[in-house]
Amino acid sequence: MKFSIQRNEIYEALQKVVSVLPARSTIPMTQNVLFVAEGDQLELMATDLEITIISNVKAAIEKEGSVAIPGRLIHDIIRELPNVSLNFDTDSKFRTTLSSEFGQYKVGGENPAEFPRKPDILDGREIVLPNGVLKRLVEKTIFATSADELRPALTGVFFELGGHRIRTVATDGHRLSMLSYVDEALPETDLNAIISTKALNFVLRSLDGEGLTSILLGEKHAQFHMENTLLYARLIEENYVDYTRVIPAETNFRMTIDTNDFLSSVKRVSLFSSPVTAQVILSIKKSFVTIHAEDVDYGGEAREEIPCEFNGDEFVIGFNSRYLQNILRHIDSQLLNVELIRPDNAILLLPEDKPENEDQLMLLMPIRLE
Amino acid sequence: MTPDWRKVIAHVDMDAFFAAIEQLEHPELRGKPVIVGADPRGGRGRGVVSTASYEARPYGVHSAMPISRAYQLCPHGIYRKPDGALYASYSRKIFAILEEFTPLIQVVSVDEAFLDVSGSVHLFGGVAKLGAAIKARIHAVTGLTASVGISNSKSVAKIASDYQKPDGLTIIPPEAVQDFLDALLVTKLWGAGKKTVENLARLGIVTVRQLREYPLEVLEKKFGKMGPHLHRLARGIDEREVVEREAIKSVSHETTFGEDHNDRELLNSTLLYLAEKVSTRLRKKDYRGKTIHLKLRFEDFSTFTRNKTLAHPTNLTEDIYKVCKALFEQFGELKKPVRLIGVGVSHLVAEAGSQTSLWDVENQRKAVLEKVMDQLQEKFGKAGLTHAETLTARKSRRKS
């Protein structure tokens, strides 16, 4: 294998794949990045066996071939070089020489035949989404995933397709976030997958610009095809919870409030809440809501009143302010509708304005008050 | 400063509680050496003695002694398996009596409690009359005898209740505390364990007086925080309050097998059985716990513990079992047979003020089911209703 390429170009491609390299691994091969030079393309591939990322970049290829090279080392040396032309040359024993006007760096490579193969997706179903939509589908839900290994399904985002609609759902049992997007081009038949937060964070990082992303969903893997980047994620093979059961069909009251005012107020007041419970209490009245927090141990206390519209008389409910803030941060609408049932039931948060074809719903469970 | 009766603390300790109940319930056992504890199996049994009646004590049998040793010392003794439910019913009666004397009661165990009677002692005509009244009421209602110690601190009251056992009443007025303590061996101090006593002996400290006169700095260097604490106790200073209900920090259960085992199926079903016991207790006390512990002791007595902290506290058998099983699997193939297995839950939180969950509906259903099981088990005993998987564990324990 022999090729030359500008430093900035290979560095950008390498950065995309190198972050997937596992910090430690029982399989030494996965510490490598696979280089494949073919036609006028250089393909870089790295994997931690859960996620595989492939990045493509144009290069002047003199001799086609491939090699597996220690990923961090090659990344670190290229990072330290300015934007000059770099030449790569691999001998028959996979020893690879990187040369530039600064000098020569030799690194022992490995037989590319031993590098883990990328997953085969047979009978996959393809959907295509604008990058902006995919970004929202992931960003608006991923924060609500669970870290609880006891329920692996909840550590990922649930992708649910059917009826020309794609819906993403994430929940950890305390809050639930759901975003739906409707498009005639989306499949009518049902199709589901749970994708790990780790894979989706890589997807978010690679989603730049306006373009389109094609998603291929198979039995065991999903493939995200973005511009110059291909990502394979092993699916979380579990049944997702029946989340529809926990979404209340009917509510008793509605509060309408300015999202930003609400968030700013909760942020300020929660500084005075007990660090253990992070509890803030909302006392909602006809035209205003009082947000109150108290730290009994240290004597701190804060109270604010902000305007709202409420169709009940008085309603008192407590929340973990971290959860509440997190949810409010993911609502873009200027006005927010909060639907309430009883102080020990979930509240529904629904944005008043939303992009066309889109539906957003969040649920938050309260803290049991004494 | 002259010591005074600023506080009046009574320590009530039932005499040979389990054995005395057995003798009360079975008149033919009266006057005979009764040993409540594990099955001695002709000297090959493996548990320990819970309680030995006063008739058994001259043979050298005492509680916490291996049952096999007790059998060697007293082969003709009458060995009884503990009847927890029966003892608990007596225990409830006794605590109800103690409440007639003060609301400030700290339950130490089924047969032992501290009473802060500072506010009520005058109603009973003074310390001596109060002590006698407690003993008399217990005897009148249950037929059992208790030993009572009264002083101005928990530590001295506890030592005093043990001073003239059984059926004793020992009052140590504040001005007599120091003389009383000085004459004792340090082994009598509450909190001085076997190791501490050995280490004190190495410094030439055998009596409380020697401890009291020993330089504090040296004790602190040798024993850390424990040094000054013991020094205070030796001078009769103990500021600890009678706490009505000490916040529990953890709940655990463990079981020692009759024979050592490496049968995974049996061990797993034992885990389920223990998880069930632990979760039942958590639910009874309205607690949930975040950290689940597994303890394994192998035949060579090597002991290992593993734990896992969950994202959310639980009190469901299912969750506790699931985690324990996973922790157990981390041990891989068992190279040595298992002697003891234990399950615990710590990081407890009370139900109030806790974050509710979307699955509460589902969990509540499970919790209701588990509560119903708790109640049925209380009524019909453990064998009445149970997770089917625990049956293997039960059967094997019965055999052993």
Side-chain angles (χ1 to χ4, degrees), chain B residues 148-185:
Chain B
V148 176
I150 305 180
S151 189
N152 60 349
S153 71
K154 280 168 86 173
S155 156
V156 179
K158 180 156 171 104
I159 299 168
S161 74
D162 191 46
Y163 197 65
Q164 302 179 57
K165 251 180 171 306
D167 204 14
L169 171 61
T170 306
I171 297 163
I172 312 292
E175 62 276 10
V177 165
Q178 197 59 68
D179 288 341
F180 172 70
L181 289 174
D182 278 354
L184 297 174
L185 297 177

Side-chain angles (χ1 to χ4, degrees), chain A residues 151 154 241-243 245-246, chain B residues 316 318-319 357-370:
Chain A
R151 288 169 175 259
L154 302 188
V241 289
D242 182 4
Y243 66 91
R245 275 188 323 139
V246 300
Chain B
L316 293 177
E318 199 182 307
D319 289 352
S357 160
L358 287 163
W359 327 129
D360 276 356
V361 192
E362 186 187 329
N363 284 347
Q364 259 162 24
R365 214 175 295 132
K366 271 189 214 160
V368 166
L369 177 69
E370 295 198 352

Side-chain angles (χ1 to χ4, degrees), chain A residues 149-150 173-174 365-368, chain B residues 312 351 353-358:
Chain A
E149 292 155 41
L150 270 185
H174 299 320
M365 287 300 291
I367 284 180
R368 250 182 228 107
Chain B
H312 310 297
E351 295 267 29
S354 65
Q355 170 70 48
T356 55
S357 160
L358 287 163

